[in-house]
Amino acid sequence: MSVYIQDIRGKTNTEISNKFASHIGTLIGNYIGPGRTILIGRDAANASQMIKRSITSGLMSAGINVVDFGIAPLPLINYSKKAYNAQVVITVSESHLRGEDVNIKIISSHEIPLEQRHAQKVSWDKIGDLRYVNEGENTYQHDVLENAAPEIKNKNFLVVIDCAQGKGISFIPEIMDTLECETVYIGCSDNLLKRSYPEPSPTRLSLISDLVFAAGADLGVYLDNDQDHIIFINEKGDIIRDQEATGIFTHFMLNENPKSTIVSSVVASLALDDIVKKQGGRLIKTSIKHVLKEISDHKAIFGADEPGMYVFPQFQSCFDGIYALVMMLGILAKKDVPLSKLVHKVPPYNRTVFTIPCENEKKMNVLDQFQADYSSKYEISRADGIRVDLKDSFILIRPSRFEPLIRAYIESKSEDKLHKLTESVKRKIEGISQNRC
């Protein structure tokens, strides 16, 4: 079962070179042991192809048998683990944030130590096998459809889908056709000569919104280049915030499974607390890296993280944007209301997110000072950064894992209180950064 996702991100050919990637592959192979199987895949970027090949070489040098899915979405590869008796899944993709960065994701049942150390290579006669496959999508597609709500076919939904030029996902049109949805696709062609940037820019999201509104579509979605992240747009062309989509899924899942457990990262909105409490469920908030583990440990029925990452463990224990799309269509069909109406049932909270520069070695000073200032009066969580829960509000300060930045998430029922908290937190972080960082 997948319970850990580890990310390695950096500049291609400098921070993440072929030598580095090969070494990482060998370290992973050393940890799980020779003779085992690992699944690997990538997105359409050239850098991803290069780094994936280097990781593969490192794995094979440690005696690992590698099953290469080529260009394939993360949910499909992870879903195939059981079929190949694989212990680990690795994907390589272009970073959402910067075109020069590559992102390596390692999905496993145990957290793999990746500290720099000497890597052990097997003898020439024990090098692992390499196998290329493309049959995994048939099983994944079949099982997605088997779990889809039958009511979807009666609605003849019109959907606009942006695939972030997600090559190798030809089965998405087949899924949508089988569900009898009329679908408009953007950036989903295998034959585009110029790749577009995977980050969902305001311009790109506006294009989806405009198409949804102009075509009278029921739903618009953006799937990232890994297809583990999804953004929803309602029939009016309005972008649905992550906390709203999480609330819709949670409300539905608790209706279907009363008094069950929901897991989210600490970034989750207070709206989630309200929904879970009202429906008699149990909510566990944890660090971003432990969402999958907490879902497994507590047999949760749903899990979520931002931005736009959702887990439906009854299908698979992995973030899955494709399955989230089918689930949302099922909710719309069963409720027989537009998405905008479902959003109105999620308690409204105002939120702002911003970043402030802070050197990596000095980030803990910011967290420690916030704890010192708030711990005597308010409930504090250090599950991931530091979260301060106030009345009808919260402040979350998280150090970026990859950049010299502090990220701040502030939420409140009151717009006026949100503004005051935001200004106060900015001054505090900047003051600590300048004087004590």
Side-chain angles (χ1 to χ4, degrees), residues 1 8 10 70 73 102 127 160 162 185 187-188 200 239 260 265 272 338 343 352 361 386 394 402 408 427:
M1 179 175 288
I8 303 171
V102 66
I127 292 172
V160 177
D162 185 338
Y185 296 98
C188 299
I239 298 170
S260 295
S265 69
L272 189 59
V343 170
T352 186
E361 64 272 14
I386 182 165
F394 79 77
F402 304 108
R427 287 195 301 268

Side-chain angles (χ1 to χ4, degrees), residues 199-323:
E199 176 68 12
S201 66
T203 301
R204 187 161 195 147
L205 293 177
S206 293
L207 174 59
I208 307 172
S209 297
D210 291 345
L211 280 171
V212 168
F213 185 76
D218 300 285
L219 181 68
V221 298
Y222 171 91
L223 283 162
D224 77 339
N225 50 330
D226 284 330
Q227 279 82 62
D228 60 351
H229 163 201
I230 187 169
I231 297 173
F232 295 99
I233 295 169
N234 71 18
E235 78 286 354
K236 297 179 180 179
D238 300 325
I239 298 170
I240 305 304
R241 297 185 299 170
D242 294 328
Q243 53 265 40
E244 293 168 336
T246 298
I248 291 169
F249 284 132
T250 298
H251 190 278
F252 177 80
M253 294 301 293
L254 285 176
N255 275 344
E256 298 281 310
N257 308 271
K259 298 182 180 181
S260 295
T261 300
I262 304 294
V263 172
S264 77
S265 69
V266 293
V267 180
S269 170
L270 289 168
L272 189 59
D273 296 70
D274 294 346
I275 292 169
V276 174
K277 182 178 180 180
K278 184 177 180 180
Q279 295 187 241
R282 179 190 181 200
L283 177 60
I284 295 173
K285 293 179 183 176
T286 186
S287 68
I288 288 173
K289 67 183 294 186
H290 289 137
V291 169
L292 296 182
K293 184 177 187 302
E294 293 294 333
I295 290 172
S296 173
D297 288 350
H298 297 281
K299 295 180 173 57
I301 58 166
F302 174 66
D305 184 25
E306 294 187 16
M309 302 176 74
Y310 309 105
V311 185
F312 299 90
Q314 78 276 14
F315 182 68
Q316 72 162 320
S317 58
C318 182
F319 298 110
D320 190 335
I322 299 167
Y323 191 74

Side-chain angles (χ1 to χ4, degrees), residues 404-415:
L405 298 171
I406 292 285
R407 302 189 188 279
Y409 304 75
I410 304 174
E411 188 174 276
S412 179
K413 274 278 190 184
S414 162
E415 288 189 18

Side-chain angles (χ1 to χ4, degrees), residues 86-378:
Q87 284 70 44
V88 177
V89 165
I90 301 174
T91 64
V92 186
S93 59
E94 185 177 31
S95 167
H96 300 164
L97 301 176
R98 291 187 298 268
E100 67 267 27
D101 284 5
V102 66
N103 188 26
I104 303 168
K105 289 183 181 178
I106 305 160
I107 308 167
S108 59
S109 57
H110 296 86
E111 192 167 15
I112 300 174
L114 297 174
E115 69 274 8
Q116 290 296 310
R117 64 183 188 277
H118 179 68
Q120 300 292 328
K121 300 181 186 295
V122 298
S123 61
W124 66 270
D125 57 335
K126 294 182 180 178
I127 292 172
D129 295 329
L130 173 61
R131 175 183 175 187
Y132 295 94
V133 300
N134 57 16
E135 68 267 20
E137 67 180 50
N138 293 328
T139 300
Y140 176 81
Q141 175 187 329
H142 172 272
D143 291 353
V144 167
L145 290 168
E146 280 288 302
N147 284 273
E151 292 88 346
I152 297 174
K153 292 185 178 181
N154 299 326
K155 301 300 293 185
N156 300 119
F157 287 122
L158 174 56
V159 184
V160 177
I161 299 179
D162 185 338
C163 300
Q165 198 167 330
K167 291 184 179 180
I169 53 170
S170 59
F171 57 87
I172 288 184
E174 293 180 28
I175 289 174
M176 299 302 288
D177 288 347
T178 303
L179 294 175
E180 298 182 13
C181 295
E182 185 177 349
T183 313
V184 177
Y185 296 98
I186 310 171
C188 299
S189 171
D190 286 352
N191 300 314
L192 293 178
L193 296 177
K194 184 179 179 181
R195 290 195 320 99
S196 53
Y197 200 53
E199 176 68 12
S201 66
T203 301
R204 187 161 195 147
L205 293 177
S206 293
L207 174 59
I208 307 172
S209 297
D210 291 345
L211 280 171
V212 168
F213 185 76
D218 300 285
L219 181 68
V221 298
Y222 171 91
L223 283 162
D224 77 339
N225 50 330
D226 284 330
Q227 279 82 62
D228 60 351
H229 163 201
I230 187 169
I231 297 173
F232 295 99
I233 295 169
N234 71 18
E235 78 286 354
K236 297 179 180 179
D238 300 325
I239 298 170
I240 305 304
R241 297 185 299 170
D242 294 328
Q243 53 265 40
E244 293 168 336
T246 298
I248 291 169
F249 284 132
T250 298
H251 190 278
F252 177 80
M253 294 301 293
L254 285 176
N255 275 344
E256 298 281 310
N257 308 271
K259 298 182 180 181
S260 295
T261 300
I262 304 294
V263 172
S264 77
S265 69
V266 293
V267 180
S269 170
L270 289 168
L272 189 59
D273 296 70
D274 294 346
I275 292 169
V276 174
K277 182 178 180 180
K278 184 177 180 180
Q279 295 187 241
R282 179 190 181 200
L283 177 60
I284 295 173
K285 293 179 183 176
T286 186
S287 68
I288 288 173
K289 67 183 294 186
H290 289 137
V291 169
L292 296 182
K293 184 177 187 302
E294 293 294 333
I295 290 172
S296 173
D297 288 350
H298 297 281
K299 295 180 173 57
I301 58 166
F302 174 66
D305 184 25
E306 294 187 16
M309 302 176 74
Y310 309 105
V311 185
F312 299 90
Q314 78 276 14
F315 182 68
Q316 72 162 320
S317 58
C318 182
F319 298 110
D320 190 335
I322 299 167
Y323 191 74
L325 166 58
V326 174
M327 282 295 298
M328 185 62 81
L329 289 171
I331 294 171
L332 293 175
K334 288 182 176 181
K335 298 294 185 182
D336 196 26
V337 295
L339 183 54
S340 60
K341 294 288 186 183
L342 294 178
V343 170
H344 289 159
K345 294 184 178 181
V346 178
Y349 282 87
N350 303 289
R351 171 180 283 211
T352 186
V353 180
F354 58 88
T355 60
I356 292 179
C358 184
E359 296 177 19
N360 291 329
E361 64 272 14
K362 302 175 182 178
K363 292 172 180 176
M364 289 304 298
N365 290 344
V366 175
L367 302 185
D368 291 343
Q369 187 60 49
F370 263 85
Q371 177 159 349
D373 291 347
Y374 287 99
S375 59
S376 63
K377 297 181 181 179
Y378 303 103

